[in-house]
Amino acid sequence: MISLYKNLFYQSLRIRMVEEKIIEIYPSDKIQSPVHLSIGQEAVAVGICNNLLKTDLLYSSYRSHAYYLAKGANLNKMFAELYGKVTGCGKGKAGSMHLAEKSVGFMGSSAVVASTISHAVGSALASKRLNKNQVCVATFGDGASEEGSYHESLNFASVFKLPVLFVCENNGLAIHSTIDQRHSYKIHEHAKSYNLKSTYIEEGYDFMKINSLISETINEIKLTGLPQVVEIKTYRYKEHVGIGDDHHVPYRSSKDFDNWKSVDPLIQDKTLINEFSEKINAEIEAAVNFAEQSEFPADSELFTDIY
Amino acid sequence: MSSEIIQVLKEDGTVSPLFKKETDLTEQDLKKIYETMILTRVYEERSLKLQRSGRIGFYIGCKGQEASHIGSAYALKMDDWVFPAYREPGVLFLRGIALKTMICQMMGNAGDPTMGRQMPCHYSYKEGNNGSVSSPLATQIPHAVGIAYAAKYMKHKIVSLTYFGEGSTSEGDFHTGLNFAAVFKSPVVFICQNNQWAISVPVARQTVSESIAIKAKAYGMPGIKVDGNDVLAMYQVTKDAVERARNGDGPTLIESFTYRLGSHSSSDDAARYRPEGELESWEQKDPIIRFEKYLLSENILTPESIKKIKDDAEEEFTQAVKEAEKVGLPPLETLFTGVYKDMPESLREQMEDLINEQKRLGASEDNSMAFPL
């Protein structure tokens, strides 16, 4: 049996290589929607999703590729969606920022900051009422914690004792604003003002550590039915939106970037990279071919899937 | 910081010796505060009667919360700003509004500065730096933060103060407002009047925090819980917070722990959801009775002067209603004015057409005071 480390590594590497492929394709304009890349943040998605059943429901932000893949959704359908093809997970109508795959419990992602947090809470209320032993997970960035919807959601989940896991992937940046320009609080400490249990992980590159904390947290939530908050410090390698690097723009230092790269297993563990690359590449090539060969949606699709 | 509740004036009407020694409130101040509390109580009781007899359409009151808002507002200077919820009529009295204007507002006639465009009790008093009352909850919080941010930016030494209920702490605007004010050290004072009920939702269903005041800790600002039925504590705590803000030390969250002795509004019956005995126990803590005991024991007021203050308030209200009822309806053109600073030509044409139509057909019968409304 493949070890846990290898399994999580494989999943993380697969996400990174998918996004690197997106970077390669993007200048061709075949992918027409904006892309918010998760490169540097893959361990968070993998560490969370490894502990979720298909029946557990996940809601993410627009930086959604990693979650879509980690939750087990189909890669062909993802590339097709990015290409705007009818075989995509949203029939080519959703694009990169609104990936969803109900069959694996990836319920949605949205361009509107913090909007899916309240969806996770509402869905947890429904699961509680319907007596489903289900955890609902909301993942969001540090910027989302400034939104009113975040506050309302945490308060509501706490008052109504709902089985929600709130995960903040704190990459320290809301587009270009640093956290000290925006927060009077630390996210995991602020969560205590709702009487919520909260934990903090500094090593957002360490999928093993994230996996083990999330495993414990999910078990507690299933046992107690009470919500919890997890804050994970992570690092966005690429610019906020798009495929470029932006360390030359003076809002963040390349020194921090170098520090993260020096501990990033997806860069450092060359043995496993070599072991897995070929297989992953083949899968990606097949997915890109699938997307290329698929059709665009017919005009009649403009009117379907609304009501 | 959070569970401790600050009290100066005990329920038996005695005060701590320290307060007596250090307070800057003169006898004149104390009388002014008391008179305003009485006027506010009379205003409430009489307005509810006006509503029940169909002379105004709606009333929303503050019985039991007079100390909470009048004590705190007394700590402000006149060029400071207030952004109210809807249970703070006493602040308007303190800031000099005419009683007749308040009643005209509730009647929605031409004596109402907003010309009947707002619901009764949704006062707007720009001259007194008092933001307009609004029905949506918590919207006043970002307004207060915004004006405080602007004041700091423009180097004006003013403070803004906002009132909201504990129900509003569940709104997103509470979170964004407090965070923004704390990050930018805006000179603002947040006063949460925790009156235990958001219409029929008790505070235990609103939050699981051990208090409202403790929420301040999350934003790195001081949070103070005060006996909201203690007018002297409300004044003192607010004064300290206003000074902090004015000195550039940022915002403060004050939880005024109080109780709504009346129903949510004239459209509500609190007896349907209040537990038995709760109202009676809070009536024992009536802020006016407590303050009266103190003023009598200090010989600042006598039973006779108290009676005169109450009689005068009743008489003032009677006269103001008489005068307000003489004021006619807002003119027809107010349907069109107050939207654009310079009215667009197309709208002006419509206004003139309507006025000509009125001239041609004659005015309709004025049944604004007919019962029921």
Side-chain angles (χ1 to χ4, degrees):
Chain A
M1 205 177 101
I2 190 165
S3 74
L4 178 65
Y5 177 84
K6 273 191 162 186
N7 176 14
L8 299 182
F9 186 95
Y10 181 87
Q11 291 188 54
S12 305
L13 182 67
R14 176 170 173 259
I15 294 167
R16 178 155 308 181
M17 289 175 69
V18 165
E19 294 212 316
E20 281 166 351
K21 187 72 188 176
I22 291 171
I23 293 174
E24 191 189 313
I25 298 170
Y26 206 66
S28 70
D29 239 6
K30 288 175 179 169
I31 296 173
Q32 298 234 339
S33 70
V35 286
H36 298 73
L37 300 180
S38 314
I39 295 182
Q41 306 186 194
E42 303 91 338
V44 179
V46 169
I48 296 170
C49 294
N50 189 51
N51 296 287
L52 300 180
L53 303 173
K54 270 191 182 172
T55 48
D56 293 326
L57 306 178
L58 175 69
Y59 297 78
S60 90
S61 71
Y62 47 79
R63 207 172 294 287
S64 60
H65 302 164
Y67 290 100
Y68 174 91
L69 293 171
K71 194 78 172 68
N74 182 284
L75 182 62
N76 286 2
K77 286 165 94 176
M78 175 174 154
F79 268 107
E81 189 58 42
L82 298 184
Y83 272 67
K85 298 292 178 73
V86 72
T87 50
C89 61
K91 291 197 194 167
K93 302 179 202 177
S96 161
M97 295 171 94
H98 306 94
L99 296 181
E101 185 55 69
K102 204 175 157 193
S103 65
V104 295
F106 184 52
M107 302 307 286
S109 43
S110 167
V112 181
V113 175
S115 59
T116 54
I117 305 175
S118 48
H119 301 164
V121 171
S123 120
L125 177 64
S127 353
K128 187 178 175 178
R129 291 222 170 159
L130 299 167
N131 279 323
K132 291 184 179 173
N133 187 23
Q134 201 174 35
V135 172
C136 297
V137 183
T139 68
F140 46 89
D142 45 294
S145 79
E146 292 144 44
E147 291 288 338
S149 155
Y150 172 76
H151 167 69
E152 292 167 8
S153 298
L154 267 64
N155 188 51
F156 192 93
S158 179
V159 170
F160 289 88
K161 298 184 171 33
L162 303 178
V164 192
L165 170 62
F166 299 99
V167 183
C168 176
E169 38 181 348
N170 180 355
N171 64 20
L173 292 169
I175 308 188
H176 300 145
S177 318
T178 54
I179 212 155
D180 58 318
Q181 296 171 308
R182 297 178 278 119
H183 288 191
S184 59
Y185 50 83
K186 296 216 180 321
I187 290 160
H188 61 283
E189 284 173 4
H190 172 267
K192 294 190 175 121
S193 72
Y194 308 97
N195 232 346
L196 293 176
K197 183 172 173 188
S198 64
T199 30
Y200 176 60
I201 298 185
E202 185 93 31
E203 304 86 355
Y205 50 86
D206 185 345
F207 41 75
M208 292 298 279
K209 192 164 184 178
I210 296 169
N211 174 63
S212 114
L213 174 80
I214 297 290
S215 159
E216 221 173 279
T217 310
I218 296 274
N219 286 340
E220 278 178 20
I221 294 174
K222 287 204 170 161
L223 204 67
T224 61
L226 297 174
Q228 292 197 28
V229 174
V230 174
E231 178 186 358
I232 302 173
K233 180 89 195 107
T234 180
Y235 196 84
R236 191 185 83 204
Y237 284 17
K238 295 289 169 184
E239 58 190 342
H240 165 72
V241 55
I243 59 166
D245 298 300
D246 64 353
H247 287 87
H248 58 284
V249 187
Y251 71 89
R252 58 173 174 170
S253 83
S254 51
K255 202 175 142 226
D256 288 345
F257 187 26
D258 293 339
N259 288 341
W260 276 89
K261 284 191 290 190
S262 71
V263 288
D264 182 349
L266 302 183
I267 293 173
Q268 300 304 327
D269 194 340
K270 302 245 167 19
T271 318
L272 282 188
I273 295 173
N274 285 334
E275 185 180 333
F276 293 142
S277 288
E278 197 180 328
K279 185 179 167 200
I280 295 173
N281 265 331
E283 188 196 2
I284 292 173
E285 286 309 322
V288 171
N289 275 337
F290 175 81
E292 299 253 358
Q293 279 157 28
S294 295
E295 298 293 327
F296 283 107
D299 290 351
S300 60
E301 282 290 346
L302 269 174
F303 297 94
T304 59
D305 304 321
I306 299 168
Y307 298 99
Chain B
M1 165 160 136
S2 52
S3 43
E4 186 198 358
I5 182 156
I6 292 179
Q7 193 184 57
V8 170
L9 178 59
K10 297 199 192 86
E11 283 172 40
D12 63 4
T14 57
V15 304
S16 66
L18 186 69
F19 176 81
K20 253 183 164 171
K21 202 173 137 217
E22 293 191 346
T23 183
D24 60 342
L25 289 171
T26 63
E27 280 194 16
Q28 273 319 102
D29 290 324
L30 295 171
K31 275 188 201 162
K32 174 82 189 289
I33 292 171
Y34 178 77
E35 284 165 5
T36 310
M37 287 169 77
I38 292 297
L39 180 61
T40 305
R41 179 66 62 92
V42 167
Y43 182 75
E44 165 125 356
E45 284 166 353
R46 296 284 299 274
S47 295
L48 273 171
K49 285 180 187 162
L50 288 182
Q51 195 278 335
R52 292 299 188 235
S53 55
R55 289 155 84 186
I56 59 173
F58 173 83
Y59 184 76
I60 188 154
C62 63
K63 189 178 178 187
Q65 298 178 221
E66 294 88 348
S68 173
H69 72 277
I70 294 167
S72 49
Y74 204 77
L76 292 172
K77 292 185 178 167
M78 289 307 282
D79 56 355
D80 293 331
W81 275 83
V82 179
F83 288 85
Y86 39 67
R87 294 194 200 285
E88 299 85 13
V91 177
L92 294 159
F93 293 137
L94 276 183
R95 296 178 89 78
I97 201 169
L99 185 55
K100 180 185 162 192
T101 307
M102 300 273 283
I103 295 168
C104 286
Q105 197 288 329
M106 294 195 287
M107 292 176 170
N109 64 26
D112 166 17
T114 55
M115 292 291 166
R117 296 179 184 105
Q118 301 225 85
M119 261 183 92
C121 299
H122 289 52
Y123 319 102
S124 183
Y125 185 45
K126 194 176 163 192
E127 299 76 9
N129 285 6
N130 200 95
S132 188
V133 171
S134 147
S135 286
L137 294 181
T139 52
Q140 71 274 22
I141 299 175
H143 300 162
V145 173
I147 213 159
Y149 179 73
K152 187 178 171 185
Y153 186 78
M154 296 167 83
K155 299 194 165 55
H156 293 171
K157 275 281 182 192
I158 63 149
V159 169
S160 85
L161 182 150
T162 182
Y163 295 98
F164 48 90
E166 82 285 356
S168 286
T169 66
S170 298
E171 290 285 343
D173 280 350
F174 170 79
H175 171 63
T176 49
L178 265 69
N179 181 46
F180 191 97
V183 170
F184 293 97
K185 280 201 164 186
S186 303
V188 54
V189 178
F190 300 102
I191 299 190
C192 175
Q193 298 202 71
N194 176 2
N195 69 14
Q196 317 301 324
W197 290 96
I199 309 188
S200 57
V201 178
V203 67
R205 295 297 279 164
Q206 203 66 248
T207 175
V208 286
S209 300
E210 64 178 86
S211 70
I212 302 292
I214 200 172
K215 291 174 188 281
K217 199 174 171 183
Y219 303 96
M221 69 173 82
I224 302 158
K225 186 170 176 177
V226 196
D227 179 349
N229 288 14
D230 171 350
V231 71
L232 300 178
M234 279 309 297
Y235 169 77
Q236 194 55 48
V237 164
T238 310
K239 186 167 172 276
D240 293 347
V242 167
E243 269 172 26
R244 264 180 44 87
R246 214 183 298 282
N247 292 337
D249 295 328
T252 305
L253 172 64
I254 297 171
E255 174 184 4
S256 159
F257 196 81
T258 182
Y259 192 78
R260 189 187 79 206
L261 292 175
S263 287
H264 169 72
S265 73
S266 59
S267 310
D268 174 45
D269 175 11
R272 293 171 67 123
Y273 50 80
R274 263 185 199 137
E276 208 178 317
E278 187 179 274
L279 176 64
E280 292 71 17
S281 82
W282 277 93
E283 276 172 344
Q284 303 299 315
K285 299 177 190 166
D286 187 321
I288 292 183
I289 296 173
R290 195 192 300 189
F291 194 33
E292 243 169 49
K293 281 184 193 163
Y294 172 67
L295 296 171
L296 285 168
S297 70
E298 293 290 311
N299 293 318
I300 295 167
L301 293 177
T302 62
E304 295 72 36
S305 59
I306 285 177
K307 183 173 182 306
K308 184 165 186 315
I309 290 168
K310 290 181 177 172
D311 289 347
D312 286 353
E314 295 279 357
E315 181 54 25
E316 199 189 331
F317 191 90
T318 306
Q319 289 307 321
V321 172
K322 272 188 192 159
E323 282 176 35
E325 286 190 331
K326 283 185 210 152
V327 179
L329 291 172
L332 196 57
E333 61 262 32
T334 58
L335 270 174
F336 299 87
T337 55
V339 181
Y340 296 96
K341 180 167 169 285
D342 301 309
M343 191 182 292
E345 199 41 47
S346 58
L347 197 60
R348 181 171 303 283
E349 275 173 26
Q350 290 181 47
M351 179 174 81
E352 281 161 7
D353 284 352
L354 188 71
I355 292 170
N356 287 334
E357 195 68 357
Q358 185 192 34
K359 279 185 191 149
R360 193 173 69 80
L361 297 171
S364 64
E365 189 188 338
D366 177 3
N367 59 1
S368 59
M369 288 300 142
F371 182 80
L373 283 177

